[in-house]
Structures are given as structure tokens and as C-alpha cells.
């Protein structure tokens, strides 16, 4: 079952989105559980006290805690980098504010099925491939780790260092193979021999990236434009 939250202070928007989601579910024989929240505070309270959601459709404009604030709390205070957030808004001027939340997509209101359905389809593809593992050899024994757990990777001579939130793993593996094959959908190279998991970036500018474990890394001159392009595509969605 895919758990989805819709957060908007306008009841008719919530009802419309839920109806469209259930129609998509019926059409493609999926299993959605859709919950409605009229304030960011209500969802935040739920996330602190129970199981979270796979996908959140989150309006930005609220009278008190707004959608961007809630997104930052989800990523920062709760420490959830896996839940995908789709911001919805009548305005299109939030790109820089949304960066630290790392949204899956951004949809302008009114939310049409023509815009919503491709977004859901892209999410389903990501959800289906979310359990991608990286296989490596350590002391002649094969191991595997979920790519989502790797914050960044670094080439060290003929070895590869994997940095997670809890440990550093050094194994025999080519850096180029990792970033072009097993991890190609998640890693972005920021300098020669160093790549970061795009899903662990919480802040960035033209010169540096800040990762979910607090690490701040510099982007080399030759990689800055390509890194910014990739991050802009990620923020803008499909």
C-alpha cells in the first residue's frame, strides 16, 4: 500500500486531489491510502506520533506554519529524507525556498489531471525502484547496502569509500563504475573522485553542498554548471 497525504486549507482542493488519486488508483490497479489534512500542524503532529507517508502533496500558503516550514521540519527535525514531497501552489516563485526541502515535484494550481498523473507515474517508478542496492566486496566477502543509505562516495586510490550516517565503508570498487552504473540515478559528481547522493543534499549554492549529516563539501569549478543543472531539474520536477 502506498500511503499518501494531501495537505491544503481549502477543502475542495483536498477533495479534488483525493478523487483524482483514487481514479488513478482504480485505473492502474494500485493500492493507495489517502489522508487529508487542512493544516501543516495537523500533519506534523501525525508524523511525530505514527507511521509516515510515501508521498505528500503539500500546499505552500497557510496562515501559520506554511508548507516550506513543514517540509524543512520533515527533512531536518524529523530526519525524513525518503518521503517524497510534491508542492502545490498558485504561485511559481518559490524555487530557491524549496531547495532545502528537496521536493519531488512542483505543481501550479489548479491541479489538473494532465499535470498530476505524470507526476504520480514518475513517483510510482521511483517507488518501485527504491530498494536499489549497491554490491561491494570487503575482505573477499560480498556485501550489499541500500543506495538510499549512502550519503556520498569518494575515490581513495584504488578503493572506494562509502559514507553513511552511521559508518564509513572502504571497499575495492571503481568510482567510475559506481557513478555510471549502480548509483547513476542517485549520485552527482561534484569534483573528481567525489560524488554525493542527491537525495541527501539539504542545501547548496554555486560553490558548496550541505548534506544530511552536516558535511559541507566544495564543488569544483569544472562541475558547478552541471551540478546546478541537475539540482535545478530535481527542484523543477518533470
Amino acid at each position: 500500500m502506498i500511503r499518501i497525504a494531501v495537505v491544503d486549507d481549502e477543502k475542495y482542493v483536498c477533495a479534488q486531489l483525493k478523487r483524482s488519486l483514487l481514479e488513478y488508483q482504480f485505473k492502474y490497479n494500485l493500492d493507495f491510502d489517502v489522508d487529508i489534512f487542512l493544516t501543516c500542524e495537523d500533519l506534523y503532529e501525525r508524523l511525530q506520533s505514527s507511521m509516515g507517508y510515501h508521498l505528500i502533496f503539500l500546499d505552500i500558503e497557510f496562515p501559520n506554519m506554511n508548507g516550506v516550514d513543514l517540509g524543512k521540519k520533515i527533512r531536518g527535525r524529523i530526519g525524513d529524507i525518503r518521503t517524497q514531497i510534491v508542492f502545490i501552489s498558485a504561485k511559481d516563485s518559490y524555487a530557491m525556498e524549496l531547495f532545502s526541502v528537496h521536493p519531488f515535484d512542483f505543481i501550479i494550481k489548479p491541479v489538473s489531471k494532465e499535470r498530476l498523473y505524470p507526476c504520480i507515474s514518475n513517483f510510482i517508478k521511483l517507488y518501485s525502484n527504491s530498494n536499489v542496492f549497491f554490491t561491494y566486496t570487503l575482505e573477499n566477502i560480498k556485501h550489499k547496502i541500500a543506495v538510499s543509505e549512502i550519503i556520498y562516495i569518494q575515490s581513495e586510490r584504488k578503493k572506494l569509500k562509502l559514507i553513511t550516517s552511521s559508518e564509513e565503508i572502504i571497499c575495492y570498487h571503481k568510482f567510475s563504475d559506481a557513478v555510471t552504473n549502480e548509483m547513476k540515478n542517485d549520485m552527482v559528481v561534484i569534483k573528481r573522485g567525489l560524488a554525493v547522493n542527491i537525495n541527501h543534499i539539504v542545501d547548496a549554492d554555486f560553490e558548496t553542498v550541505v548534506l544530511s549529516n552536516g558535511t559541507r563539501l566544495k564543488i569544483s569549478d569544472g562541475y558547478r554548471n552541471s551540478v546546478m543543472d541537475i539540482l535545478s531539474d530535481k527542484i523543477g520536477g518533470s
Side-chain angles (χ1 to χ4, degrees):
M1 178 184 292
I2 297 175
R3 298 184 302 277
I4 301 175
V6 176
V7 193
D8 198 298
D9 56 356
E10 296 180 290
K11 291 183 179 180
Y12 79 92
V13 173
C14 293
Q16 177 192 23
L17 258 174
K18 183 171 184 177
R19 183 168 57 251
S20 296
L21 288 165
L22 295 180
E23 288 175 1
Y24 185 98
Q25 168 194 247
F26 179 78
K27 182 177 181 179
Y28 294 101
N29 193 30
L30 297 168
D31 188 9
F32 290 171
D33 181 23
V34 183
D35 290 335
I36 299 297
F37 299 88
L38 299 178
T39 70
C40 290
E41 288 87 350
D42 288 344
L43 176 58
Y44 185 51
E45 183 177 350
R46 172 71 66 84
L47 292 174
Q48 290 179 300
S49 61
S50 64
M51 187 178 297
Y53 293 91
H54 298 107
L55 179 63
I56 299 174
F57 288 91
L58 179 56
D59 187 23
I60 294 178
E61 294 86 14
F62 287 90
N64 297 309
M65 183 193 299
N66 65 37
V68 178
D69 292 336
L70 175 59
K72 289 178 178 178
K73 289 180 183 294
I74 291 172
R75 298 296 190 231
R77 190 168 297 178
I78 295 177
D80 179 358
I81 63 168
R82 296 190 179 186
T83 297
Q84 300 300 325
I85 299 174
V86 176
F87 283 108
I88 55 177
S89 174
K91 302 176 183 178
D92 61 358
S93 57
Y94 288 99
M96 295 309 297
E97 292 180 65
L98 302 184
F99 184 85
S100 62
V101 180
H102 210 70
F104 180 74
D105 207 341
F106 181 89
I107 300 177
I108 296 293
K109 291 182 178 180
V111 180
S112 66
K113 292 181 183 179
E114 290 75 19
R115 183 65 182 86
L116 177 65
Y117 282 7
C119 172
I120 302 172
S121 297
N122 288 335
F123 168 77
I124 295 298
K125 291 176 186 176
L126 178 68
Y127 179 79
S128 299
N129 294 319
S130 60
N131 293 321
V132 175
F133 288 88
F134 174 68
T135 302
Y136 62 93
T137 301
L138 187 61
E139 296 180 350
N140 296 319
I141 299 175
K142 284 194 172 183
H143 302 264
K144 66 178 183 178
I145 182 174
V147 173
S148 61
E149 295 181 12
I150 302 172
I151 299 174
Y152 69 95
I153 63 175
Q154 189 168 11
S155 175
E156 290 199 344
R157 297 177 183 175
K158 294 183 178 180
K159 297 180 181 179
L160 184 67
K161 181 164 69 174
L162 315 175
I163 292 84
T164 74
S165 60
S166 59
E167 62 180 335
E168 292 185 1
I169 301 167
I170 298 178
C171 59
Y172 288 97
H173 201 95
K174 285 186 177 181
F175 176 84
S176 58
D177 287 346
V179 296
T180 58
N181 295 312
E182 300 100 321
M183 304 185 195
K184 66 179 181 180
N185 294 323
D186 297 276
M187 292 291 169
V188 54
V189 179
I190 63 169
K191 65 169 59 175
R192 186 175 181 181
L194 178 62
V196 302
N197 190 328
I198 193 170
N199 301 299
H200 281 275
I201 299 175
V202 297
D203 198 6
D205 55 33
F206 199 61
E207 297 182 349
T208 59
V209 293
V210 180
L211 305 177
S212 59
N213 64 348
T215 300
R216 182 181 295 270
L217 298 171
K218 285 190 172 295
I219 307 170
S220 291
D221 292 348
Y223 292 90
R224 288 175 182 172
N225 288 329
S226 61
V227 170
M228 289 299 107
D229 287 344
I230 291 170
L231 296 183
S232 295
D233 288 344
K234 186 72 176 178
I235 295 170
S238 57

